[in-house]
Amino acid sequence: MSSTINDRLVSLLTQLALATDGLGAGVVLAFFTIQAWKNFRYTSSALERIRHAKSVTISDLRSLLIDDNSSQTQSDKQFVIIRGLVEAKSVVDGSWKNLMPSSSSSSSIGNSGGLLVSHQSGAKGVVLQNTQTCVYNDIKGLFGYAFDFRSLFGNPLRGQKTLSLSTIPFVLVQNGDSKSPDSTDYVFVNLEGSLHPLPLTTCYHHLQPIPTTPYTLIQAIAGYTYPVGLLDEEKILPLGKEITAVGHCTLQDGNPQINACKKIPYFLSDMTKDQMIVHLVSRKKILFWVGIVLGSVSLGVLGYSLTRSWQRLKEWRHRRQIQHSREEEIANLDATTEDNRADEETEDIPEGQLCIICLMRRKRAAFVPCGHFVCCYRCALSVERDSAPKCPLCRQNIRTSVRIYDS
């Protein structure tokens, strides 16, 4: 049922895109062009901010923030890049007993500051994410192709569902200080309000096959996608992992705290500052050329569509003018016919001069280009108004007729 709805949706979108000589496709390409240029500006701004951001060691961070607060509260110097090791906040607080994992078999927080423990692999960390992903087949059927159109408009990982995401307070400490319980050089990581991806490490990976049914065989023959397995994954942010934090750093209750910045695509990352710059430069170039190509194609499609629409408008106006002139000719003919009706009705018309169509009126019109003089003017106009006008005598295609007057 879902595949049928997707097929109909794609068919409708295709018809809308190709309507009016590609106007819909041009509008869609223009929309993607605008999105590409928005991402280009966003990436350029993020690249400049990261280039000018200070790479501060955790030991120097407290003194830097104190100096900033004494001079100006909101300064660009507070946007910093820090690299350190992940450690539970209970370590720097001295609550070493809280580091003991809970005896529960499921992922849990032992107590107020305990570690998160994977119930599958036993890995310990400060962030634990459990996801399940439904894996679909990609085999061509007998009557179609198992192509997932939903991947064009959404997340390519179909059916992904995050079952749980657990976090405990954690900090970044300078390399070499994680084993020292008396060290006070740390920065607290505030994940509140952050939608940035986390540098998690996969600690458990299991693919469970889904049993097939007779309905699955019908789906395979018809070429529709169907689930073949359920992928269960657990990812964790382990203790002691070296990561980079990018964001605004402030003093909260005398302790440094770093918060995510919405204008930057990174918050916590495995990459260093130089690697981030290289990645952003590459992304900036790709977005620039994508915007150029999509913009050129969209302008070409829109130009072609507007040109075709203008030509159709001109043709429609020309047909209207021809129709209007024909209506005037018919009106004049009716007036002339009314004036000459009495003479024609009383006049004795020889048998060879009668119209071969109505056999009532005198021959008055000749067809062009054949030149046959066989109809009255009214019947000649009726022949011209046909979709494929032909001479009633020789059956040759005609363009128009000429009224013939007696001398």
Side-chain angles (χ1 to χ4, degrees):
M1 183 66 179
S2 178
S3 300
T4 303
I5 295 176
N6 289 333
D7 294 342
R8 292 178 179 177
L9 177 61
V10 171
S11 177
L12 178 61
L13 293 176
T14 303
Q15 293 178 2
L16 292 176
L18 298 179
T20 62
D21 294 319
L23 180 61
V27 172
V28 172
L29 289 174
F31 171 78
F32 284 113
T33 301
I34 295 174
Q35 294 299 319
W37 283 111
K38 285 184 178 180
N39 292 333
F40 173 78
R41 293 183 58 184
Y42 171 78
T43 304
S44 300
S45 175
L47 176 61
E48 292 301 318
R49 296 200 66 181
I50 290 180
R51 275 178 174 171
H52 295 89
K54 284 189 175 182
S55 296
V56 184
T57 59
I58 298 177
S59 58
D60 297 334
L61 183 60
R62 189 184 300 271
S63 60
L64 176 64
L65 294 176
I66 293 175
D67 293 340
D68 285 343
N69 289 334
S70 62
S71 60
Q72 46 186 349
T73 57
Q74 296 296 332
S75 173
D76 290 339
K77 294 180 180 179
Q78 292 181 350
F79 182 77
V80 295
I81 299 177
I82 306 169
R83 190 163 181 86
L85 302 179
V86 176
E87 194 61 81
K89 191 174 185 297
S90 55
V91 172
V92 296
D93 289 342
S95 303
W96 291 95
K97 295 181 180 180
N98 291 335
L99 291 179
M100 298 299 295
S102 173
S103 59
S104 175
S105 60
S106 61
S107 301
S108 61
I109 302 176
N111 39 42
S112 60
L115 294 177
L116 297 173
V117 182
S118 170
H119 69 283
Q120 297 291 348
S121 63
K124 304 175 183 178
V126 294
V127 178
L128 178 62
Q129 175 181 294
N130 188 356
T131 61
Q132 284 188 348
T133 306
C134 193
V135 181
Y136 288 77
N137 74 308
D138 290 322
I139 303 175
K140 185 177 74 171
L142 296 178
F143 306 105
Y145 293 90
F147 185 81
D148 182 26
F149 293 105
R150 288 172 293 184
S151 62
L152 297 176
F153 308 102
N155 192 345
L157 294 177
R158 297 168 294 173
Q160 185 176 21
K161 182 179 179 181
T162 301
L163 300 181
S164 64
L165 177 63
S166 304
T167 62
I168 62 171
F170 66 97
V171 297
L172 294 182
V173 298
Q174 194 162 333
N175 193 1
D177 293 342
S178 60
K179 301 300 181 181
S180 175
D182 298 329
S183 175
T184 58
D185 292 333
Y186 68 91
V187 56
F188 176 72
V189 179
N190 185 12
L191 293 178
E192 183 178 357
S194 172
L195 300 177
H196 298 78
L198 298 174
L200 304 179
T201 302
T202 301
C203 61
Y204 177 75
H205 182 95
H206 177 68
L207 180 61
Q208 180 180 357
I210 296 179
T212 59
T213 63
Y215 181 67
T216 304
L217 178 60
I218 298 176
Q219 288 181 313
I221 295 176
Y224 292 108
T225 58
Y226 57 89
V228 295
L230 187 64
L231 180 62
D232 190 4
E233 287 184 307
E234 281 189 343
K235 296 183 179 181
I236 200 166
L237 184 59
L239 300 179
K241 182 175 182 178
E242 187 176 14
I243 62 174
T244 302
V246 182
H248 294 287
C249 204
T250 57
L251 285 176
Q252 296 291 334
D253 299 329
N255 297 319
Q257 174 178 294
I258 191 166
N259 303 275
C261 179
K262 294 182 179 180
K263 296 182 180 180
I264 303 297
Y266 308 108
F267 179 37
L268 302 178
S269 175
D270 293 321
M271 295 186 291
T272 63
K273 177 181 179 180
D274 294 336
Q275 291 173 337
M276 291 180 185
I277 292 176
V278 171
H279 181 261
L280 289 176
V281 168
S282 176
R283 179 176 173 82
K284 179 181 176 181
K285 291 180 180 179
I286 293 174
L287 289 173
F288 174 78
W289 288 111
V290 167
I292 291 294
V293 173
L294 289 180
S296 302
V297 175
S298 63
L299 288 177
V301 173
L302 290 175
Y304 171 77
S305 177
L306 294 177
T307 302
R308 288 288 300 168
S309 300
W310 176 251
Q311 291 178 352
R312 288 183 176 182
L313 179 61
K314 290 172 62 178
E315 293 175 357
W316 177 79
R317 288 180 177 178
H318 182 65
R319 288 194 301 268
R320 290 281 296 177
Q321 292 177 355
I322 293 177
Q323 184 179 1
H324 184 66
S325 63
R326 290 297 183 188
E327 291 175 354
E328 290 181 351
E329 290 181 1
I330 294 175
N332 294 333
L333 174 64
D334 293 339
T336 305
T337 303
E338 291 295 335
D339 294 339
N340 298 332
R341 179 175 298 176
D343 295 339
E344 290 185 352
E345 290 178 354
T346 57
E347 184 182 1
D348 187 12
I349 303 174
E351 184 177 353
Q353 296 297 320
L354 286 174
C355 172
I356 66 172
I357 296 179
C358 66
L359 298 176
M360 294 175 58
R361 290 177 290 272
R362 185 186 295 271
K363 299 176 182 179
R364 292 294 186 185
F367 293 110
V368 178
C370 66
H372 286 127
F373 180 62
V374 291
C375 296
C376 64
Y377 192 51
R378 180 174 294 184
C379 292
L381 290 179
S382 299
V383 173
E384 285 186 52
R385 286 196 292 268
D386 292 340
S387 58
K390 296 180 182 295
C391 174
L393 186 63
C394 65
R395 308 304 299 169
Q396 181 179 350
N397 292 332
I398 62 174
R399 294 194 301 268
T400 183
S401 62
V402 180
R403 182 181 175 88
I404 306 299
Y405 294 92
D406 295 335
S407 58

Coordinates of all heavy atoms in Angstrom, one line a residue, residues 229-276:
G229 N 15.5 -7.2 6.9 CA 16.2 -7.4 8.1 C 16.0 -6.2 9.0 O 15.6 -5.1 8.6
L230 N 16.4 -6.4 10.3 CA 16.3 -5.3 11.3 C 17.7 -5.1 11.9 O 18.2 -6.1 12.5 CB 15.3 -5.7 12.4 CG 15.0 -4.6 13.4 CD1 14.3 -3.4 12.8 CD2 14.1 -5.2 14.5
L231 N 18.2 -4.0 11.7 CA 19.6 -3.7 12.1 C 19.5 -3.0 13.5 O 18.9 -1.9 13.6 CB 20.3 -2.8 11.1 CG 21.8 -2.4 11.4 CD1 22.6 -3.6 11.5 CD2 22.3 -1.4 10.4
D232 N 20.1 -3.6 14.5 CA 20.1 -3.1 15.8 C 21.5 -2.6 16.1 O 22.5 -3.3 16.0 CB 19.7 -4.1 16.8 CG 19.5 -3.6 18.2 OD1 19.6 -2.3 18.4 OD2 19.2 -4.3 19.2
E233 N 21.7 -1.3 16.5 CA 23.0 -0.7 16.7 C 22.9 0.1 18.1 O 21.9 0.6 18.5 CB 23.3 0.3 15.6 CG 23.7 -0.3 14.3 CD 24.2 0.7 13.3 OE1 23.4 1.7 13.1 OE2 25.3 0.6 12.8
E234 N 24.1 0.0 18.7 CA 24.3 0.8 19.9 C 25.6 1.6 19.7 O 26.6 1.1 19.3 CB 24.4 -0.1 21.2 CG 23.1 -0.5 21.7 CD 23.2 -1.2 23.0 OE1 24.3 -1.6 23.4 OE2 22.2 -1.3 23.7
K235 N 25.5 2.9 19.9 CA 26.6 3.8 19.8 C 26.8 4.5 21.2 O 25.9 4.8 21.9 CB 26.4 4.8 18.7 CG 26.3 4.2 17.3 CD 26.1 5.3 16.3 CE 26.0 4.6 14.9 NZ 25.9 5.6 13.8
I236 N 28.1 4.8 21.5 CA 28.4 5.3 22.8 C 29.5 6.4 22.6 O 30.3 6.3 21.7 CB 28.9 4.2 23.7 CG1 28.7 4.7 25.2 CG2 30.3 3.7 23.4 CD1 28.8 3.5 26.2
L237 N 29.5 7.4 23.5 CA 30.6 8.3 23.6 C 31.5 7.9 24.7 O 31.2 8.1 25.9 CB 30.1 9.7 23.8 CG 31.2 10.9 23.8 CD1 32.0 10.9 22.5 CD2 30.5 12.2 24.1
P238 N 32.6 7.2 24.5 CA 33.3 6.5 25.6 C 34.2 7.5 26.3 O 34.5 8.6 25.8 CB 34.2 5.5 24.8 CG 34.4 6.1 23.4 CD 33.2 6.9 23.1
L239 N 34.6 7.1 27.5 CA 35.5 7.9 28.3 C 36.9 7.9 27.7 O 37.3 6.9 27.1 CB 35.6 7.4 29.7 CG 34.3 7.4 30.5 CD1 34.5 6.7 31.9 CD2 33.7 8.7 30.7
G240 N 37.6 9.0 27.8 CA 38.9 9.1 27.3 C 39.0 9.4 25.8 O 40.2 9.5 25.3
K241 N 37.9 9.6 25.1 CA 38.0 9.8 23.7 C 38.4 11.3 23.5 O 37.8 12.2 24.1 CB 36.7 9.5 23.0 CG 36.7 9.7 21.5 CD 35.4 9.3 20.9 CE 35.5 9.5 19.4 NZ 34.2 9.0 18.7
E242 N 39.3 11.5 22.6 CA 39.7 12.9 22.3 C 38.8 13.5 21.2 O 38.8 13.0 20.1 CB 41.2 12.9 21.8 CG 41.7 14.4 21.7 CD 43.2 14.4 21.4 OE1 43.7 13.3 21.0 OE2 43.9 15.4 21.5
I243 N 38.2 14.6 21.5 CA 37.3 15.3 20.6 C 37.5 16.8 20.6 O 38.2 17.3 21.5 CB 35.8 15.0 20.9 CG1 35.4 15.5 22.3 CG2 35.5 13.5 20.8 CD1 33.9 15.4 22.6
T244 N 36.9 17.5 19.7 CA 37.0 18.9 19.6 C 35.7 19.5 19.8 O 34.7 19.1 19.3 CB 37.5 19.4 18.2 OG1 38.8 18.7 18.0 CG2 37.7 20.9 18.1
A245 N 35.6 20.6 20.7 CA 34.4 21.3 20.9 C 34.5 22.7 20.3 O 35.5 23.4 20.5 CB 34.1 21.4 22.4
V246 N 33.4 23.1 19.6 CA 33.4 24.4 18.9 C 32.1 25.1 19.4 O 31.0 24.6 19.2 CB 33.4 24.3 17.4 CG1 33.4 25.6 16.7 CG2 34.5 23.4 16.9
G247 N 32.2 26.3 20.0 CA 31.1 27.0 20.4 C 31.4 28.2 21.3 O 32.6 28.6 21.4
H248 N 30.4 28.7 22.0 CA 30.5 29.8 22.9 C 30.8 29.3 24.3 O 30.1 28.5 24.8 CB 29.2 30.7 22.9 CG 28.9 31.4 21.6 ND1 29.7 32.4 21.1 CD2 28.0 31.1 20.6 CE1 29.2 32.8 19.9 NE2 28.2 32.0 19.6
C249 N 31.8 29.9 24.8 CA 32.3 29.5 26.2 C 32.0 30.6 27.2 O 32.3 31.7 26.9 CB 33.7 29.1 26.1 SG 34.2 28.0 27.5
T250 N 31.4 30.2 28.3 CA 31.1 31.2 29.3 C 31.4 30.6 30.7 O 31.7 29.4 30.8 CB 29.6 31.6 29.3 OG1 28.8 30.4 29.4 CG2 29.2 32.3 28.0
L251 N 31.4 31.5 31.7 CA 31.6 31.1 33.1 C 30.2 30.9 33.7 O 29.4 31.8 33.8 CB 32.4 32.1 33.8 CG 33.9 32.1 33.5 CD1 34.6 33.2 34.2 CD2 34.6 30.8 33.8
Q252 N 30.0 29.7 34.2 CA 28.8 29.4 35.0 C 29.2 28.9 36.4 O 29.8 27.9 36.6 CB 27.9 28.3 34.3 CG 27.4 28.7 32.9 CD 26.4 29.8 33.0 OE1 25.7 29.9 34.0 NE2 26.2 30.6 31.9
D253 N 28.8 29.8 37.4 CA 29.2 29.5 38.8 C 30.7 29.4 38.9 O 31.2 28.5 39.7 CB 28.5 28.3 39.3 CG 27.0 28.4 39.3 OD1 26.5 29.5 39.5 OD2 26.3 27.4 39.1
G254 N 31.4 30.1 38.1 CA 32.9 30.1 38.2 C 33.6 29.0 37.4 O 34.8 28.9 37.4
N255 N 32.8 28.1 36.7 CA 33.3 27.0 35.9 C 33.1 27.3 34.5 O 32.0 27.7 34.1 CB 32.7 25.7 36.4 CG 33.0 25.4 37.8 OD1 34.1 25.6 38.3 ND2 32.0 24.9 38.5
P256 N 34.1 27.0 33.6 CA 33.9 27.1 32.2 C 32.8 26.2 31.6 O 32.7 25.0 32.0 CB 35.2 26.8 31.6 CG 36.2 26.9 32.7 CD 35.4 26.5 33.9
Q257 N 32.0 26.7 30.7 CA 30.9 25.9 30.1 C 30.9 26.3 28.6 O 30.9 27.5 28.3 CB 29.6 26.1 30.7 CG 28.4 25.4 30.0 CD 27.1 25.6 30.8 OE1 26.9 25.2 31.9 NE2 26.2 26.4 30.1
I258 N 30.8 25.3 27.7 CA 30.8 25.5 26.3 C 29.4 25.1 25.8 O 28.9 24.1 26.2 CB 31.9 24.8 25.5 CG1 32.0 25.3 24.1 CG2 31.7 23.3 25.6 CD1 33.2 24.8 23.4
N259 N 28.8 26.0 24.9 CA 27.5 25.8 24.4 C 27.6 25.8 22.9 O 28.5 26.4 22.3 CB 26.5 26.9 24.8 CG 26.4 27.0 26.3 OD1 25.6 26.3 26.9 ND2 27.2 27.9 26.9
A260 N 26.6 25.1 22.2 CA 26.6 24.9 20.8 C 26.2 26.3 20.1 O 25.5 27.1 20.7 CB 25.7 23.8 20.3
C261 N 26.7 26.5 18.9 CA 26.4 27.7 18.1 C 25.6 27.2 16.9 O 26.0 26.4 16.2 CB 27.6 28.4 17.7 SG 27.3 29.9 16.7
K262 N 24.4 27.8 16.7 CA 23.5 27.3 15.6 C 24.1 27.7 14.3 O 23.7 27.1 13.3 CB 22.1 27.9 15.8 CG 21.4 27.4 17.0 CD 20.0 28.0 17.1 CE 19.3 27.5 18.4 NZ 17.9 28.1 18.5
K263 N 24.9 28.7 14.2 CA 25.5 29.1 12.9 C 26.7 28.3 12.5 O 27.3 28.6 11.5 CB 25.8 30.6 13.0 CG 24.6 31.5 13.3 CD 25.0 33.0 13.3 CE 23.8 33.9 13.5 NZ 24.2 35.3 13.6
I264 N 27.1 27.3 13.3 CA 28.2 26.5 13.0 C 27.8 25.1 12.8 O 27.0 24.6 13.7 CB 29.3 26.6 14.1 CG1 29.7 28.1 14.3 CG2 30.5 25.8 13.8 CD1 30.4 28.7 13.1
P265 N 28.2 24.3 11.8 CA 27.7 23.0 11.6 C 28.4 22.0 12.6 O 28.1 20.8 12.5 CB 28.1 22.7 10.2 CG 29.3 23.5 9.9 CD 29.0 24.8 10.7
Y266 N 29.3 22.4 13.4 CA 30.0 21.5 14.3 C 29.8 22.0 15.8 O 29.6 23.1 16.0 CB 31.5 21.5 14.1 CG 32.0 21.3 12.7 CD1 32.5 22.3 11.9 CD2 31.8 20.0 12.1 CE1 32.9 22.1 10.6 CE2 32.2 19.8 10.8 CZ 32.7 20.8 10.0 OH 33.1 20.6 8.7
F267 N 29.7 21.0 16.6 CA 29.8 21.3 18.1 C 30.8 20.4 18.7 O 31.8 20.8 19.2 CB 28.4 21.1 18.7 CG 28.4 21.3 20.2 CD1 29.1 22.3 20.8 CD2 27.6 20.6 21.0 CE1 29.1 22.6 22.1 CE2 27.5 20.8 22.4 CZ 28.3 21.8 22.9
L268 N 30.5 19.1 18.7 CA 31.5 18.1 19.1 C 31.9 17.2 17.9 O 31.0 16.7 17.2 CB 30.9 17.2 20.2 CG 30.4 17.9 21.5 CD1 29.8 16.9 22.5 CD2 31.5 18.7 22.2
S269 N 33.2 17.1 17.7 CA 33.6 16.4 16.5 C 35.0 15.8 16.7 O 35.8 16.1 17.6 CB 33.8 17.5 15.3 OG 34.3 16.9 14.2
D270 N 35.2 14.7 15.9 CA 36.5 14.0 15.9 C 37.6 14.9 15.2 O 38.8 14.6 15.4 CB 36.4 12.7 15.3 CG 35.5 11.7 16.1 OD1 35.6 11.8 17.3 OD2 34.8 10.9 15.4
M271 N 37.2 15.8 14.3 CA 38.1 16.5 13.5 C 38.8 17.6 14.3 O 38.2 18.2 15.3 CB 37.4 17.1 12.3 CG 36.9 16.1 11.3 SD 36.2 16.9 9.8 CE 34.7 17.7 10.5
T272 N 40.0 18.0 13.9 CA 40.7 19.1 14.5 C 40.3 20.4 13.7 O 39.5 20.3 12.8 CB 42.2 18.9 14.4 OG1 42.6 18.8 13.0 CG2 42.6 17.6 15.1
K273 N 40.8 21.5 14.2 CA 40.4 22.8 13.5 C 40.9 22.8 12.1 O 40.1 23.2 11.2 CB 41.1 23.9 14.3 CG 40.8 25.3 13.6 CD 41.5 26.4 14.4 CE 41.2 27.8 13.7 NZ 41.9 28.9 14.5
D274 N 42.1 22.3 11.8 CA 42.5 22.3 10.4 C 41.7 21.4 9.5 O 41.4 21.7 8.4 CB 44.0 21.8 10.4 CG 44.9 22.9 11.0 OD1 44.6 24.0 11.1 OD2 46.0 22.5 11.5
Q275 N 41.3 20.2 10.1 CA 40.4 19.3 9.3 C 39.1 19.9 9.1 O 38.5 19.7 8.0 CB 40.3 18.0 10.1 CG 41.6 17.2 10.1 CD 41.5 15.9 11.0 OE1 40.6 15.9 11.9 NE2 42.3 15.0 10.7
M276 N 38.5 20.7 10.0 CA 37.3 21.3 9.8 C 37.4 22.4 8.7 O 36.5 22.5 7.9 CB 36.8 22.0 11.1 CG 36.4 21.1 12.2 SD 35.9 22.0 13.7 CE 35.6 20.7 14.9

